[in-house]
Amino acid sequence: MTMKPVGLSQEDVINSVTVGGFYCVGLDYGIISPKELQKIAENIESLKDTIRIDNIYTDEAMGEILNAVSKAYFIQLNMYDLFLESRYNVVSTKLMSEAMTGYDVEVKHMFMSPVEVKEGSLYIDVDRNAQSVISVNGDKQAEKAYMILSGQIASAM
């Protein structure tokens, strides 16, 4: 995927995928609307009574789960950033962020050929989470402290 923010250079985002896995590219434009959250919650709610071991590995089920995971990550991160903005008296402008969530299968090989596919695990890979931060009163140390703590929280999540 190629991302080209206005005024900045092009950035190519490359993620490996495995045949048999499920993947979702989650985008965050700086705010996730309550309407979008409600729709995700409704989709998950409608699936919860119908998901079984024989149908969870479908685009409908796994796709909704992976989308919910990526949006939940960005919502939590945005809330932490709002808290940190007030704490450090800075203003942050978030550029479009991107994360890939996935359910990667485990593939066993023999002589470089796949011979077995087993259940794997869920993951999230945040490829891009960029923001511009400016102190309200010109305090460069506050800007730095905000960015360090925001980055630590994003990594820990």
Side-chain angles (χ1 to χ4, degrees), residues 14-18 20-26 62 65-71 73 98-106 120-127 157:
I14 299 169
N15 287 294
S16 299
V17 296
T18 303
F22 290 88
Y23 305 94
C24 174
V25 176
M62 193 60 74
I65 292 167
L66 295 175
N67 182 50
V69 168
S70 68
K71 295 301 179 177
Y73 172 84
E98 180 270 335
M100 184 164 188
T101 54
Y103 178 81
D104 231 356
V105 294
E106 184 181 321
S121 58
L122 288 169
Y123 73 91
I124 184 168
D125 180 14
V126 181
D127 297 304
M157 288 177 42

Side-chain angles (χ1 to χ4, degrees), residues 45-101:
E45 185 67 28
S46 70
L47 285 172
K48 80 174 191 180
D49 294 330
T50 61
I51 292 180
R52 296 177 307 279
I53 193 68
D54 61 335
N55 70 354
I56 193 168
Y57 303 109
T58 63
D59 288 337
E60 294 79 20
M62 193 60 74
E64 287 296 339
I65 292 167
L66 295 175
N67 182 50
V69 168
S70 68
K71 295 301 179 177
Y73 172 84
F74 283 123
I75 289 164
Q76 291 178 47
L77 185 59
N78 292 345
M79 293 304 293
Y80 277 117
D81 284 344
L82 283 173
F83 171 76
L84 292 176
E85 281 182 40
S86 64
R87 166 66 176 88
Y88 288 102
N89 204 23
V90 299
V91 176
S92 171
T93 301
K94 190 167 189 169
L95 301 175
M96 186 170 72
S97 298
E98 180 270 335
M100 184 164 188
T101 54

